[in-house]
Amino acid sequence: MSDLFIRRVTALGHGRCDVLIQDGRIARIGSLAAPPDVEVLDGAGQVLLPGFVDAHSHLDKSLLGRPWYRREPSRDLQRMLADERDLRRSPDWDYEQQIGTNVDVLIASGVTHTRAFVDVDTDAGLRGLEAMLAIKHRYADALTIHVVAFAQSGVSGRPGTAELLDQALANGADCIGGIDPCLVERDPVAHLDLVFGLAQRHGSAVDIHLHEPGPLGAFSASLIIERTRATGLGGKVVISHPDFLGGIPAGQASALIEQLVDAGVAVTTNVSAGDPKPPLREMLAAGLAVGAGCDGERDSWAPFNRSDMLLKTNQLAWRHGLGTDDELELALRVATTGGAAVMGVTDHGLAPGCRADLVLVPGEVVVEPVVAVPAERTVVKGGAIVSRPGSAILRTPNGEQPRQG
Amino acid sequence: MSDLFIRRVTALGHGRCDVLIQDGRIARIGSLAAPPDVEVLDGAGQVLLPGFVDAHSHLDKSLLGRPWYRREPSRDLQRMLADERDLRRSPDWDYEQQIGTNVDVLIASGVTHTRAFVDVDTDAGLRGLEAMLAIKHRYADALTIHVVAFAQSGVSGRPGTAELLDQALANGADCIGGIDPCLVERDPVAHLDLVFGLAQRHGSAVDIHLHEPGPLGAFSASLIIERTRATGLGGKVVISHPDFLGGIPAGQASALIEQLVDAGVAVTTNVSAGDPKPPLREMLAAGLAVGAGCDGERDSWAPFNRSDMLLKTNQLAWRHGLGTDDELELALRVATTGGAAVMGVTDHGLAPGCRADLVLVPGEVVVEPVVAVPAERTVVKGGAIVSRPGSAILRTPNGEQPRQG
């Protein structure tokens, strides 16, 4: 836990200011004098934001650093799932290397927290999970990772998966990850009862991938809301990919959004390019907790995701037409404090008392980086500078030798 | 006109190869030995593409280099047009500086050709046009600029505009730019007859901004098709923003696409994030000439455009779900040879005889740059290297002193 003084920076919600960090937390924000003997970071020409929160990542799927993966046409869901499981069985597959490579990219881009899904299935067993937990601990000083034991290949069709998920949560996963209860599992009540039951037994959070369109997604969401209420898990339940809210009549969507808020169910978007898109403005106006995530960078599914939450903020704003300065700021909040709320992180933000998990990016006003997406980022975690522009992580976890990128 | 040898590059449509450039044109592509005394560019780890074609730019609108422009909510079209005209009347507005700044960015990003709209109205008169023509000539060795005299503020409501457009074409504009014949002009026949009449008189091309949705846009398009046929201007007429093709029933869209192809009307998309999107795959499959453009970077309208056609290619592929390797390659073709076809440039591409207007980007396979959007670009124009990674233009137009960025 470190001390740091950030001088003359333009901070989200504060304008031009100085920031004093003591013992790894923000002590004061305002027009300040630097105390003696504290490291000073010059913030001139820089914008200060809370660290980005990648509330939906698939670090175990990244093919970064491996040879180019050629994506062929006409692959159906089951084929894509099988292709992905096959990749992980190749003799040269190294979970820790793949996860670590993606983590390095995430940190350098300014991400200080991620909710990381990791596939648990009867092929992979707990190998991905154990690697993810190892990385979580190794990088703890640079990146907060909440690990989700994720039933990517489904539970109902693959006997033994439920037991593996149970074991994953016992071994240290923070969250149980469900999947399309109707379209993949084909028995929504059985799947959701299993997921919520595991969450109750282990005191874990719940995060459910919901790719089901329109009315079908809304139906599954209503079952999730019921179970959230019944189990008292409000505040710990997330629906990932709330695109279905754009595929039902506006009045129904409004009512469902109200129920999500009331039940304490949050949502995380990966900013799909597909239609329809969820009614983001209305979701935010209704007080729904909304986070955003980078999803899987360079995975076998699709080539477009990048592990860069500033780019994701740009895409979120662009896709949802958030073009005024106030709206661009709203997009920044989704990508930072919004994601923190989704993950249940309560001390993230630019206020005294918050952990000093921060990112600095070149910009004249706070929203300019959303437009320009500059590559230069200075990343602060717990008050220590963990990445500077043009370099990989400077202070590797647990005080290991610094690496230069 | 220069000679150059590009060694061991991965070229679009050719795979790994060497490229010999003589007298500013591609002489040979294959497994070649470098001739003596020719400049050699090492293409290892690089992808070679035809230079990007920004088939729809608004260089005169860019606020790059000026103080941040705050965008406020709830501005209607007329207010935004007035705001923009007011900006240009501010005492510190310098057309050549704004256009030149944007041109520098375009060239460094790998763009070798652009169709540049410039507003002609009764406030700006021909000041923007004259500045654009000056820049066109000054940068002729680094960037091919086709200038469009554009009726941004409309003609029908601003007497004197038609005469200015006529004068602009007489002064050297390459193309006449019309605007929403129904929604802005409110007299589609009068507007289109004026536009096509000017084109006939001056032998110029036609490029019409068509923001009209669905059936209304389809109606205006049908009038454009009629006039293209009647005037014999097929091959020289473009509709910019063909989003209306996504807002009519699929059968009607197919029929209209066929008519566009048959009449020789091309389209240019700026890749809107709005719904609905035009049926890009079908448009390409039908043989419609489709280009893409960056639109206005950092203008007073919206904050999202960037003068980077590689980023635009990424957005085009992402927005239209072009995720397989073959589809990513298709997106690259839209952004390069597609735009050249739209602009009527017939010698652009990676084939012997084509002008050596090229860009090199880091990548293992030709489509990887579409995914990774690396900032490093090496740009070749007429066989000469005009920009290298990390630097601004190396050889400024007309042999002026090189500048380093």
Side-chain angles (χ1 to χ4, degrees):
Chain A
M1 292 302 176
S2 309
D3 292 1
L4 186 66
F5 187 81
I6 307 176
R7 187 157 56 193
R8 282 194 304 265
V9 77
T10 301
L12 179 64
H14 296 273
R16 184 69 66 87
C17 62
D18 309 293
V19 179
L20 176 63
I21 293 159
Q22 291 177 325
D23 296 327
R25 292 190 178 265
I26 296 174
R28 295 177 63 197
I29 302 179
S31 184
L32 311 174
D37 302 328
V38 68
E39 183 179 359
V40 175
L41 187 58
D42 184 14
Q46 302 276 314
V47 163
L48 180 71
L49 307 170
F52 288 113
V53 177
D54 181 354
H56 188 110
S57 64
H58 288 277
L59 309 177
D60 65 324
K61 293 179 188 287
S62 176
L63 304 176
L64 280 170
R66 291 176 63 88
W68 177 257
Y69 181 85
R70 189 176 161 84
R71 291 170 192 81
E72 303 286 355
S74 309
R75 299 182 303 156
D76 68 12
L77 178 65
Q78 289 307 323
R79 183 70 251 161
M80 290 170 86
L81 283 166
D83 286 348
E84 184 170 53
R85 289 193 302 267
D86 287 349
L87 256 176
R88 298 233 186 78
R89 281 192 290 224
S90 36
D92 64 341
W93 183 266
D94 182 332
Y95 271 111
E96 286 197 35
Q97 183 173 316
Q98 294 310 122
I99 297 170
T101 300
N102 202 341
V103 161
D104 287 342
V105 173
L106 266 191
I107 293 170
S109 78
V111 169
T112 56
H113 300 74
T114 187
R115 171 170 280 187
F117 291 78
V118 57
D119 289 9
V120 171
D121 61 58
T122 50
D123 282 3
L126 298 178
R127 289 199 305 282
L129 179 95
E130 299 302 340
M132 186 71 85
L133 290 171
I135 294 280
K136 168 183 172 139
H137 295 118
R138 194 179 314 152
Y139 281 83
D141 291 345
L143 177 66
T144 300
I145 302 178
H146 289 190
V147 177
V148 188
F150 176 42
Q152 170 73 81
S153 290
V155 182
S156 61
R158 300 179 70 88
T161 305
E163 292 73 15
L164 285 167
L165 293 168
D166 192 24
Q167 191 61 48
L169 292 164
N171 289 9
D174 305 283
C175 181
I176 171 74
I179 193 160
D180 303 314
C182 295
L183 285 185
V184 170
E185 288 294 274
R186 310 197 63 77
D187 187 342
V189 164
H191 183 65
L192 293 174
D193 284 349
L194 171 77
V195 165
F196 278 86
L198 286 169
Q200 282 194 293
R201 187 177 329 153
H202 295 280
S204 68
V206 171
D207 199 320
I208 297 169
H209 278 61
L210 192 48
H211 309 92
E212 296 166 357
L216 190 60
F219 168 66
S220 291
S222 72
L223 296 180
I224 291 169
I225 289 168
E226 283 173 14
R227 277 150 190 79
T228 303
R229 289 186 167 131
T231 55
L233 282 170
K236 296 179 78 173
V237 177
V238 177
I239 295 176
S240 283
H241 312 317
D243 297 4
F244 63 91
L245 289 170
I248 54 179
Q252 283 179 34
S254 301
L256 192 48
I257 290 167
E258 265 185 46
Q259 292 167 38
L260 291 167
V261 174
D262 182 65
V265 178
V267 302
T268 300
T269 177
N270 67 346
V271 190
S272 164
D275 299 314
K277 59 190 171 194
L280 181 64
R281 288 164 202 264
E282 183 182 352
M283 290 153 61
L284 293 170
L288 186 61
V290 180
C294 293
D295 222 331
E297 164 148 12
R298 205 65 81 89
D299 60 26
S300 64
W301 294 74
F304 296 115
N305 293 316
R306 299 265 297 283
S307 291
D308 181 345
M309 281 298 297
L310 181 55
L311 176 62
K312 189 59 73 176
T313 309
N314 172 286
Q315 293 171 335
L316 179 81
W318 180 60
R319 182 73 177 106
H320 291 278
L322 306 179
T324 68
D325 283 48
D326 290 345
E327 290 168 337
L328 291 168
E329 197 171 311
L330 201 60
L332 275 176
R333 293 185 187 277
V334 169
T336 56
T337 47
V342 163
M343 283 178 61
V345 175
T346 54
D347 56 354
H348 192 57
L350 296 188
C354 286
R355 244 182 82 101
D357 295 348
L358 309 165
V359 59
L360 290 92
V361 203
E364 179 188 343
V365 298
V366 288
V367 298
E368 188 180 14
V370 182
V371 169
V373 195
E376 299 77 22
R377 325 276 166 97
T378 303
V379 189
V380 175
K381 181 77 177 174
I385 297 170
V386 295
S387 187
R388 288 188 192 265
S391 56
I393 307 167
L394 296 182
R395 191 191 64 167
T396 51
N398 308 326
E400 290 167 25
Q401 184 66 27
R403 286 172 290 168
Q404 294 293 334
Chain B
M1 291 303 176
S2 309
D3 290 2
L4 185 67
F5 187 80
I6 306 176
R7 186 156 58 193
R8 282 194 304 266
V9 77
T10 301
L12 179 65
H14 296 272
R16 184 70 64 90
C17 63
D18 310 293
V19 180
L20 176 63
I21 293 159
Q22 290 177 325
D23 296 327
R25 293 189 177 266
I26 296 174
R28 294 178 63 198
I29 302 179
S31 184
L32 310 173
D37 301 328
V38 69
E39 182 179 359
V40 175
L41 185 60
D42 183 14
Q46 302 276 315
V47 164
L48 181 71
L49 307 171
F52 289 112
V53 177
D54 181 353
H56 187 111
S57 65
H58 288 276
L59 309 178
D60 64 325
K61 294 179 188 285
S62 175
L63 304 177
L64 279 170
R66 291 177 62 87
W68 177 257
Y69 181 85
R70 188 174 163 82
R71 291 171 192 81
E72 304 287 355
S74 307
R75 298 181 305 157
D76 67 13
L77 176 65
Q78 288 309 323
R79 182 71 251 160
M80 291 171 84
L81 283 166
D83 286 349
E84 184 171 52
R85 289 194 302 268
D86 286 350
L87 255 177
R88 297 232 186 80
R89 282 192 289 222
S90 40
D92 64 340
W93 184 267
D94 181 331
Y95 270 112
E96 286 197 35
Q97 183 173 317
Q98 293 311 121
I99 295 169
T101 301
N102 202 342
V103 161
D104 286 343
V105 173
L106 267 190
I107 293 169
S109 78
V111 169
T112 55
H113 301 72
T114 187
R115 169 170 280 189
F117 291 79
V118 57
D119 290 7
V120 171
D121 61 56
T122 50
D123 282 4
L126 299 178
R127 290 198 304 282
L129 179 96
E130 298 303 340
M132 187 72 85
L133 290 171
I135 294 281
K136 169 183 172 140
H137 295 118
R138 195 180 313 153
Y139 281 83
D141 291 345
L143 176 66
T144 301
I145 303 178
H146 289 188
V147 177
V148 188
F150 176 42
Q152 169 75 80
S153 290
V155 182
S156 61
R158 300 179 69 89
T161 305
E163 292 72 15
L164 286 167
L165 293 168
D166 192 23
Q167 190 62 48
L169 292 164
N171 290 7
D174 306 283
C175 181
I176 171 74
I179 191 157
D180 303 313
C182 293
L183 285 185
V184 169
E185 289 294 274
R186 310 197 65 74
D187 187 341
V189 165
H191 183 66
L192 293 174
D193 284 350
L194 171 77
V195 165
F196 279 85
L198 286 169
Q200 282 194 292
R201 187 177 328 153
H202 294 280
S204 68
V206 171
D207 199 320
I208 297 169
H209 277 61
L210 192 48
H211 308 93
E212 296 167 357
L216 189 61
F219 168 66
S220 290
S222 71
L223 296 181
I224 291 168
I225 290 167
E226 282 173 14
R227 276 150 191 79
T228 303
R229 289 188 166 130
T231 55
L233 283 169
K236 296 180 79 174
V237 176
V238 177
I239 295 175
S240 283
H241 314 315
D243 297 4
F244 63 90
L245 288 169
I248 54 179
Q252 283 179 32
S254 301
L256 192 48
I257 289 166
E258 265 185 46
Q259 292 167 38
L260 290 167
V261 174
D262 182 67
V265 178
V267 301
T268 299
T269 177
N270 66 346
V271 190
S272 164
D275 301 313
K277 59 191 171 195
L280 181 65
R281 289 163 202 265
E282 183 182 352
M283 289 152 61
L284 292 169
L288 186 60
V290 180
C294 293
D295 223 330
E297 165 149 12
R298 205 67 81 87
D299 60 27
S300 65
W301 294 74
F304 295 116
N305 293 316
R306 301 263 297 282
S307 290
D308 182 344
M309 282 298 298
L310 181 55
L311 176 62
K312 188 60 73 177
T313 309
N314 171 286
Q315 293 171 337
L316 180 81
W318 180 60
R319 182 74 177 104
H320 290 277
L322 306 179
T324 68
D325 283 48
D326 290 345
E327 290 169 335
L328 290 169
E329 197 171 312
L330 201 60
L332 276 176
R333 293 185 187 276
V334 169
T336 56
T337 47
V342 162
M343 283 178 61
V345 174
T346 55
D347 57 354
H348 192 57
L350 296 187
C354 287
R355 245 182 81 102
D357 294 348
L358 310 164
V359 58
L360 290 93
V361 203
E364 180 188 343
V365 297
V366 288
V367 298
E368 187 180 14
V370 183
V371 169
V373 195
E376 299 76 23
R377 325 275 167 96
T378 303
V379 189
V380 175
K381 181 77 177 173
I385 297 170
V386 294
S387 186
R388 288 188 192 266
S391 56
I393 307 165
L394 296 182
R395 190 192 66 166
T396 51
N398 308 326
E400 290 167 24
Q401 182 67 26
R403 286 171 293 167
Q404 292 293 332

